[in-house]
Amino acid sequence: MPRVLIVDDHAVIRRGVQGILSTYPEWDLCGEADNGQDAIRLAGELAPEVVIMDVSMPGMNGLEATRIIHDVLPETKVLLLTLHSSSEFVRSAFRAGARGYVLKSDAENELVRALNVVIGEGTYVSPAIDARAAKESIFYNN
Amino acid sequence: MRILVADDHDIIRRGLKELLASRAGWEVCAEAKTGREAVTLAEQLRPDVVVMDISMPDLNGLEAARKIRKSLPKTEILILTLHFSDQLVREIVEAGVRAYIMKSDADRDLVAAVEALGNHRPFFTARAADMLLDGFVRPHAASPDPDAVIRNRLTSREREIVQLLAEGKSSKEVAVSLGISVKTAETHRANIMRKLELHSVSELVRYAVRNQIIEA
């Protein structure tokens, strides 16, 4: 069963992700963190298959944490879950090693779809992101 | 206790439901994605408490709160926001909202606030209360002429139209959306621009973002 670590400074988002995953028994929420440093520490301890990561957090932000997790645990897929839809952010995310990019405004099933894609070694970008910018961001890295 | 949850984001609604579910005897009786849905569902279901985001499409939380309090004075309303606004806190209270909390503090404040509202007691954190008191100590500091303030205050209908225009709707679309004539919609639009001293749609959008009527 793939294990997921959720990282967000807002408890309401962590609870939301927990609620969504509880309806999909094939996913196991193994831990949660509310900042980048704890995310790195917990990812090291738990070696989850996927980290769902917020971008804007106090202290170390999600992009920096993504970069480090990607370096240290190349098998762990990082899926960003954020309010920011600008193509600049999408580019930075993939440059940092993220495998997926989902918006907090997306529907619930978008998050689950993204989890399934990244666990299957694919790359996922929210359909709400400008398609051309999304393609450029991914090609830039491959 | 029956609670209506309104937020345009699925994940946030889910999170709010999870936080509220920690209390036995509390039931989330319905969910809304826009302010207009919240008003309709509240009128149908008469919940004890409405937990509502301030920024929602179509009709924002503040306007929805005014409408709900008008038709259901016994229903208590909690407004959630990403950022506290000292400009809005007074309007929020005047709309009949009796709890105002930050989304980032929802795990600490939500249950306590809903519990207070369930007993028809208000809930304001120290910071929100400070801002509110400041607003009463220095009422309308920016405008020295109270008559002008009242004359230029937007009506409820005008505030609804500000949101629709800021969302990019034309006068015709506003008219269709609200079931009024195009001519009436245009008159409202002209009055809004005059009262707010705005000269273009882009200025109106900036006003709407600044006042959390729409999201940036």
Side-chain angles (χ1 to χ4, degrees), chain A residues 10-13 15-16 19 81 104-105 107-108, chain B residues 9-12 14-16 18-19 103-104 107:
Chain A
H10 289 184
V12 65
I13 298 285
R15 291 287 78 76
L81 177 62
K104 287 183 180 172
S105 52
E108 283 189 7
Chain B
H9 295 173
D10 283 8
I11 294 179
I12 306 267
R14 179 74 83 150
L16 293 171
E18 295 281 326
L19 289 170
K103 274 187 185 167
S104 56
D107 54 333

Side-chain angles (χ1 to χ4, degrees), chain B residues 101-174:
Chain B
I101 70 172
M102 302 244 291
K103 274 187 185 167
S104 56
D105 298 335
D107 54 333
R108 195 187 61 208
D109 294 339
L110 181 69
V111 168
V114 170
E115 182 147 42
L117 291 180
N119 295 317
H120 296 286
R121 280 187 288 110
F123 180 97
F124 291 97
T125 58
R127 221 180 116 218
D130 269 352
M131 285 190 318
L132 187 57
L133 288 172
D134 270 0
F136 280 99
V137 176
R138 297 181 283 102
H140 307 299
S143 174
D145 176 3
D147 288 343
V149 168
I150 290 163
R151 204 165 49 241
N152 289 332
R153 192 175 275 180
L154 297 185
T155 63
S156 167
R157 186 33 68 91
E158 284 165 355
R159 283 189 303 262
E160 259 183 280
I161 293 174
V162 166
Q163 173 161 6
L164 297 174
L165 292 172
E167 285 173 353
K169 291 198 167 67
S170 65
S171 295
K172 194 174 166 205
E173 287 166 322
V174 167

Side-chain angles (χ1 to χ4, degrees), chain A residues 5-75:
Chain A
L5 172 67
I6 167 74
V7 185
D8 199 301
D9 56 325
H10 289 184
V12 65
I13 298 285
R14 297 198 305 274
R15 291 287 78 76
V17 169
Q18 182 188 33
I20 293 167
L21 292 184
S22 70
T23 61
Y24 293 86
E26 63 271 33
W27 294 96
D28 172 28
L29 188 67
C30 66
E32 51 180 87
D34 61 8
N35 63 72
Q37 283 93 343
D38 285 354
I40 294 165
R41 185 179 53 76
L42 275 175
E45 282 171 21
L46 304 167
E49 276 73 24
V50 183
V51 178
I52 298 177
M53 178 91 78
D54 184 20
V55 171
S56 309
M57 289 182 289
M60 183 190 289
N61 71 44
L63 289 176
E64 192 54 38
T66 298
R67 205 167 289 130
I68 295 171
I69 291 172
H70 179 63
D71 268 0
V72 181
L73 299 160
E75 297 294 308

Side-chain angles (χ1 to χ4, degrees), chain B residues 180-213:
Chain B
I180 57 179
S181 74
V182 177
K183 193 153 174 281
T184 305
E186 275 167 359
T187 306
H188 281 309
R189 182 191 174 126
N191 288 339
I192 289 164
M193 299 305 259
R194 176 177 51 74
K195 286 183 179 179
L196 299 178
E197 298 177 27
L198 304 174
H199 307 96
S200 67
V201 174
S202 60
E203 283 181 13
L204 182 92
V205 171
R206 273 199 294 279
Y207 168 86
V209 169
R210 206 169 49 238
N211 289 283
Q212 294 185 30
I213 294 168

